[in-house]
Amino acid sequence: MTTAEKPRDPKQQMGVFTELAEVSEEYRFRQYSQAYSGRHVWDEFVTAQRENHDASEWYCETARKAGRYWKEHMESRGRHHALATPEDAEQWCADLLETRKKTTVYREYWVKVLRFYSWLQYHTEHPHVYHPILMAAAEYPKTSELWDFKIARSRTNSSE
């Protein structure tokens, strides 16, 4: 017997807000840019993964690598790495998919950023009431391609 599958539609995993247009101005991430200035949230995330989930050193190292690429991308777009828009996610995915295999992008980069934003949502010290990576997966082609890859992998793995 297999465990119940998670919903295939990313909107079913987002919570209240499924599109950025639904998010009122007071909850938009750009409102928090000063509060996040100089804060190393990605490092907090990796530390929490290590301490709370007994993540392997390999996982932490790949998470740090993904974080470096994500932070560089977000810096080039003029935003803190914890304050992305769905468009930021889509462009990052498109750029990575141009130079790397889909499996590599998924395993070593995308899934880490997906987890990062999920982690932010579940910690009350962060104002993350929406998930820009899931929003991008529901709206844009390259992020959606990675989402579909995730769903296909989970279906394959659950049937083993």
Side-chain angles (χ1 to χ4, degrees):
M1 181 181 291
T2 62
T3 59
E5 287 185 28
K6 286 189 175 184
R8 290 184 184 175
D9 184 350
K11 287 185 175 189
Q12 292 177 325
Q13 293 188 27
M14 284 187 219
V16 177
F17 302 113
T18 60
E19 296 177 8
L20 193 56
E22 297 172 340
V23 180
S24 66
E25 196 59 36
E26 69 181 302
Y27 294 116
R28 298 281 179 110
F29 292 160
R30 65 177 162 249
Q31 302 298 329
Y32 305 100
S33 59
Q34 279 192 310
Y36 277 83
S37 180
R39 189 167 175 191
H40 302 286
V41 183
W42 191 273
D43 295 340
E44 295 171 27
F45 163 69
V46 174
T47 298
Q49 297 302 293
R50 183 71 168 161
E51 292 173 354
N52 300 332
H53 303 289
D54 197 30
S56 69
E57 189 53 43
W58 176 86
Y59 175 87
C60 291
E61 187 52 42
T62 59
R64 286 184 202 100
K65 178 182 174 183
R68 283 191 301 274
Y69 279 92
W70 179 247
K71 288 190 280 187
E72 287 172 7
H73 172 70
M74 291 302 296
E75 185 176 310
S76 75
R77 295 177 71 86
R79 277 187 280 290
H80 187 277
H81 59 276
L83 306 176
T85 66
E87 293 83 6
D88 294 327
E90 176 65 8
Q91 188 59 57
W92 186 65
C93 291
D95 292 347
L96 287 173
L97 287 167
E98 282 183 15
T99 59
R100 292 165 178 81
K101 292 180 182 179
K102 187 185 311 183
T103 303
T104 302
V105 173
Y106 172 79
R107 285 186 46 201
E108 295 186 23
Y109 301 94
W110 186 80
V111 77
K112 306 298 191 298
V113 176
L114 180 73
R115 286 179 184 156
F116 174 64
Y117 276 93
S118 295
W119 177 81
L120 288 168
Q121 282 192 301
Y122 290 104
H123 288 83
T124 57
E125 67 270 23
H126 297 286
H128 289 68
V129 297
Y130 60 96
H131 199 303
I133 310 307
L134 291 176
M135 285 180 172
E139 186 175 350
Y140 295 107
K142 295 300 181 181
T143 315
S144 179
E145 183 179 333
L146 290 166
W147 176 263
D148 291 344
F149 186 76
K150 170 188 170 29
I151 296 302
R153 285 178 52 93
S154 65
R155 291 186 75 210
T156 301
N157 292 337
S158 68
S159 65
E160 293 177 344

